[in-house]
Amino acid sequence: MLEVRNLHSFYGDAHVLHGVSLEVNSGEVVALLGRNGMGKTTLIRSIMRLAQPQVREGSLLWNGEELMHLTPHEVASRRIGLVPQGRRLFPSLSVVEHLTMLKPASAKHGWTVSRVLDMFPRLAERKNHRGNQLSGGERQMLAVGRALMIDPELILMDEPSEGLAPVMVQHLETIIADLGRTGLAILLVEQNLYSALAVANRFYVLETGKVVHAATAAEIKENQASLLRFLGVH
Ligand SMILES: Nc1ncnc2c1ncn2[C@@H]1O[C@H](COP(=O)(O)OP(=O)(O)OP(=O)(O)O)[C@@H](O)[C@H]1O
Ligand SMILES: [Mg+2]
């Protein structure tokens, strides 16, 4: 369903992605692993067609349609949601305002404010709180909820567990696994290997802008050592 082929992305003259290819199929949770600065966020931003980085070569096929010439808004309207690294909420907008600011083209999968608030009871209790009044965990829930409100078939999540307490990380893992079971596809950027192992069906390791390893959950169960080696964990 998402097919990234030979993607080359740049910031100015800096060539950051060197021919990345990967795919995410319907209902799969796919983890994108890699150490700091390896190009994970660059890949997510390239897929969303954000102004930076510049993609100079390659192809981004989404259900057969080329995304390369679309705007970020048009990408979102194709039901690709984004949970950006660092959450990117608005400090002065309330929880409910965050959830109602983007209107889906049509509510195919039935995501509504009340369904999102049912999923995140903590947010329901704080629905009139502003972005800057929420804890780190609540902000991450809201960032996920906001992405669901565009009624996605694929969500790109960029390090959602970053900076969260272990109990919130576990809660998030449950949510990601539950969303995966509803048929939603998720491309999950993670530095937390154990979080990724808990939820993902397949794995890619990115190193200096190249995919250096790809494996299924079953393959990793058999042989975790090779994955750890590619991540530089000993
Ligand atoms: N706006 C930018 N302008 C110039 N270079 C950038 C910019 N953003 C990222 N880079 C560079 O591109 C490379 C990849 O960065 P990227 O943010 O994609 O890494 P990452 O894998 O997401 O890292 P992290 O795990 O720390 O979030 C790094 O060398 C980084 O310094
Ligand atoms: Mg990043």
Side-chain angles (χ1 to χ4, degrees):
M1 121 199 251
L2 177 71
E3 247 190 278
V4 176
R5 287 284 165 263
N6 190 34
L7 210 66
H8 288 262
S9 296
F10 295 73
Y11 296 103
D13 291 336
H15 189 174
V16 171
L17 296 187
H18 300 266
V20 170
S21 297
L22 57 78
E23 56 194 69
V24 183
N25 298 303
S26 168
E28 270 191 322
V29 179
V30 174
L32 181 64
L33 304 171
R35 288 170 290 144
N36 290 114
M38 292 301 168
K40 304 180 300 295
T41 298
T42 302
L43 175 61
I44 297 296
R45 294 181 59 89
S46 299
I47 297 168
M48 286 310 293
R49 309 305 304 120
L50 293 165
Q52 290 292 335
Q54 248 189 15
V55 181
R56 301 217 185 125
E57 199 182 323
S59 161
L60 292 166
L61 287 180
W62 169 241
N63 295 328
E65 182 189 16
E66 181 55 75
L67 299 180
M68 207 60 96
H69 311 292
L70 302 187
T71 65
H73 178 77
E74 288 166 339
V75 172
S77 76
R78 300 322 195 254
R79 301 184 190 279
I80 300 181
L82 173 65
V83 178
Q85 188 165 19
R87 290 137 206 165
R88 308 272 171 204
L89 300 179
F90 295 93
S92 63
L93 293 189
S94 73
V95 167
V96 170
E97 284 167 335
H98 276 97
L99 295 177
T100 50
M101 60 190 297
L102 298 170
K103 283 271 175 294
S106 66
K108 193 167 157 189
H109 305 101
W111 285 105
T112 59
V113 172
S114 60
R115 188 166 158 212
V116 168
L117 293 180
D118 281 349
M119 185 162 193
F120 302 113
R122 295 276 297 223
L123 289 183
E125 289 165 21
R126 287 162 177 71
K127 64 182 181 187
N128 297 314
H129 283 48
R130 294 193 303 265
N132 62 6
Q133 296 172 309
L134 301 174
S135 72
E138 291 159 2
R139 284 177 203 197
Q140 196 62 65
M141 301 297 140
L142 182 53
V144 173
R146 178 178 58 180
L148 289 170
M149 288 300 292
I150 70 138
D151 211 27
E153 282 172 11
L154 168 66
I155 296 192
L156 313 174
M157 293 192 188
D158 197 348
E159 299 204 37
S161 70
E162 194 177 25
L164 297 187
V167 57
M168 284 309 301
V169 173
Q170 268 180 18
H171 184 37
L172 195 67
E173 286 168 10
T174 309
I175 285 163
I176 290 171
D178 286 350
L179 287 172
R181 277 191 288 271
T182 70
L184 186 71
I186 298 172
L187 180 59
L188 174 68
V189 172
E190 262 303 343
Q191 289 249 5
N192 182 337
L193 173 64
Y194 295 96
S195 243
L197 289 172
V199 297
N201 311 115
R202 286 195 302 114
F203 301 80
Y204 292 99
V205 179
L206 207 57
E207 194 174 304
T208 50
K210 288 187 182 132
V211 172
V212 293
H213 188 56
T216 63
E219 284 163 355
I220 285 170
K221 220 170 178 181
E222 290 278 300
N223 181 8
Q224 219 180 70
S226 73
L227 178 71
L228 295 180
R229 186 157 33 80
F230 278 107
L231 287 168
V233 183
H234 298 288

